[in-house]
Amino acid sequence: MLAVLILTYNEQLHIARAIDSVSSFAGQIFVIDSFSTDQTVEIARSLGAKVLQNPFVNQARQFQWGLDHAPIRCDWVMRLDADEVIEPELAREIGEKLPKLGPDVAGVNLKRKHIFLDRFIRHGGRYPLILTRIWRRGQGRVEDRWMDEHVIVQGGRTVLFDNPFSDHNLHDLGYFTDKHNKYATREAVDVLNRRYRLFAEDAGPTREGSSLQAAVKRLIKERIYNRIPFQISTLGYFLFRYLLQLGFLDGREGLIYHFLQGYWYRFLVGAKVLEFDRAIRHLQSADEKRQALARLTGLAL
């Protein structure tokens, strides 16, 4: 009925949990691995997943590679991150509702909830995050971008299921900050690409091809937020999220999360855009700028 694709690199802490959470309804499980050096591959195979390996460039290209190369036979495809969990209520809903969807439905949007330091972050605009995670085989693709990529469906509408899934990473704060430092570099590349047209850019999510929430958030970020000096926009965003969207109700764990993800991370993106822009803006051609940015970031641009 449904094939699940999971991207991994050294995910031995999470992979068994992820696979177990989809085993009740998945007809096929594919792990797209970036040559892990821990026990990820062995664990995945022991649980019945088929493992394909490919060198990692970014999330979007790795997942699209999986779509293009995995021998998917099922009618539906699901994207799941290794640190995400399909909860039992959602697993039952998928098993019950998916076979009954009409041919006019091309994709299914799911509600993601974030667990941080073992606390469900309910406020600050963080729940529910509505993402397209299930689509008919052949009717979905992944945006080609360096950060915040979405699944885009075509040939039909999307529907929203009721029950959420969880994003619950079990690593420590050091891992969280290191990961977001790398995310900030990738997002800065996307910002500078729009500024200088360094390489082709995807059209992005729309209400019809993704979720309305994702389309509106992308529009606000690119048309308004990224045009405000980051010293102002980052502080304004944090205060909006923490006070007006009631992030303070998430307690101490929420304060840590909203500050790190809603202020520190956004400030870091802005600072990296400034740093990289100063290094490339004097160059004449887009090709020169792209090559310089690749050297600065270590990314295969």
Side-chain angles (χ1 to χ4, degrees):
M1 178 176 69
L2 183 148
V4 179
L5 271 67
I6 307 172
L7 302 190
T8 59
Y9 176 70
N10 290 349
E11 289 286 359
Q12 66 180 15
L13 185 61
H14 298 115
I15 189 60
R17 187 187 64 175
I19 291 173
D20 287 343
S21 76
V22 301
S23 60
S24 66
F25 61 83
Q28 296 176 283
I29 300 174
F30 297 99
V31 167
I32 313 302
D33 185 71
S34 306
F35 298 97
S36 292
T37 58
D38 65 0
Q39 297 300 304
T40 298
V41 170
E42 290 78 4
I43 294 170
R45 286 176 175 157
S46 73
L47 294 172
K50 181 174 179 58
V51 178
L52 290 77
Q53 292 186 300
N54 185 58
F56 185 85
V57 176
N58 60 36
Q59 293 282 118
R61 294 182 190 175
Q62 187 76 339
F63 196 87
Q64 189 61 50
W65 184 91
L67 284 179
D68 294 338
H69 290 84
I72 299 172
R73 301 186 306 271
C74 297
D75 295 331
W76 294 89
V77 182
M78 168 184 270
R79 172 182 178 172
L80 187 72
D81 290 346
D83 60 357
E84 294 173 342
V85 182
I86 301 299
E87 298 183 356
E89 295 82 3
L90 177 57
R92 285 192 292 270
E93 185 176 11
I94 291 171
E96 292 170 3
K97 290 185 177 179
L98 203 62
K100 300 176 183 177
L101 295 177
D104 61 317
V105 176
V108 178
N109 296 330
L110 301 180
K111 301 174 182 178
R112 186 178 75 181
K113 67 179 187 181
H114 194 81
I115 310 296
F116 181 78
L117 296 179
D118 293 325
R119 180 167 184 146
F120 175 15
I121 304 298
R122 297 175 179 271
H123 304 95
R126 303 306 291 172
Y127 181 78
L129 293 180
I130 299 174
L131 305 168
T132 304
R133 286 303 189 91
I134 301 174
W135 61 95
R136 290 190 188 274
R137 177 165 52 94
Q139 291 184 238
R141 62 175 179 83
V142 182
E143 282 185 280
D144 186 10
R145 56 187 291 127
W146 283 91
M147 190 63 201
D148 193 30
E149 72 285 347
H150 288 270
V151 172
I152 308 297
V153 301
Q154 59 187 6
R157 63 189 179 95
T158 59
V159 297
L160 176 65
F161 280 3
D162 297 324
N163 292 290
F165 69 99
S166 297
D167 178 343
H168 187 186
N169 193 289
L170 300 174
H171 287 293
D172 60 16
L173 282 174
Y175 181 91
F176 178 92
T177 53
D178 180 63
K179 179 174 72 171
H180 280 75
N181 179 43
K182 295 173 182 175
Y183 284 174
T185 298
R186 298 175 194 170
E187 186 164 345
V189 167
D190 279 334
V191 172
L192 290 171
N193 179 41
R194 288 188 294 276
R195 184 174 296 177
Y196 293 114
R197 301 183 185 277
L198 303 179
F199 42 82
E201 183 181 41
D202 236 321
T206 64
R207 178 177 181 176
E208 295 77 19
S210 184
S211 76
L212 176 62
Q213 184 192 74
V216 170
K217 289 176 70 174
R218 177 70 61 78
L219 184 68
I220 292 173
K221 179 187 283 188
E222 295 184 353
R223 299 288 180 86
I224 301 174
Y225 179 89
N226 285 344
R227 298 183 180 184
I228 301 172
F230 75 93
Q231 306 94 311
I232 300 171
S233 61
T234 52
L235 180 59
Y237 175 61
F238 170 71
L239 293 175
F240 171 73
R241 181 164 146 175
Y242 194 68
L243 298 178
L244 295 182
Q245 292 189 302
L246 307 181
F248 62 88
L249 294 178
D250 289 319
R252 288 182 303 174
E253 296 86 356
L255 173 59
I256 297 168
Y257 176 75
H258 292 301
F259 180 82
L260 289 178
Q261 203 273 339
Y263 180 71
W264 171 79
Y265 171 67
R266 303 273 15 125
F267 194 93
L268 186 60
V269 171
K272 290 196 177 202
V273 170
L274 177 67
E275 177 188 28
F276 299 156
D277 186 57
R278 284 179 173 176
I280 69 171
R281 63 188 175 195
H282 68 283
L283 299 173
Q284 296 301 310
S285 69
D287 189 55
E288 288 177 308
K289 289 182 172 70
R290 184 175 61 252
Q291 291 179 23
L293 191 58
R295 289 193 297 270
L296 286 167
T297 62
L299 300 175
L301 304 179

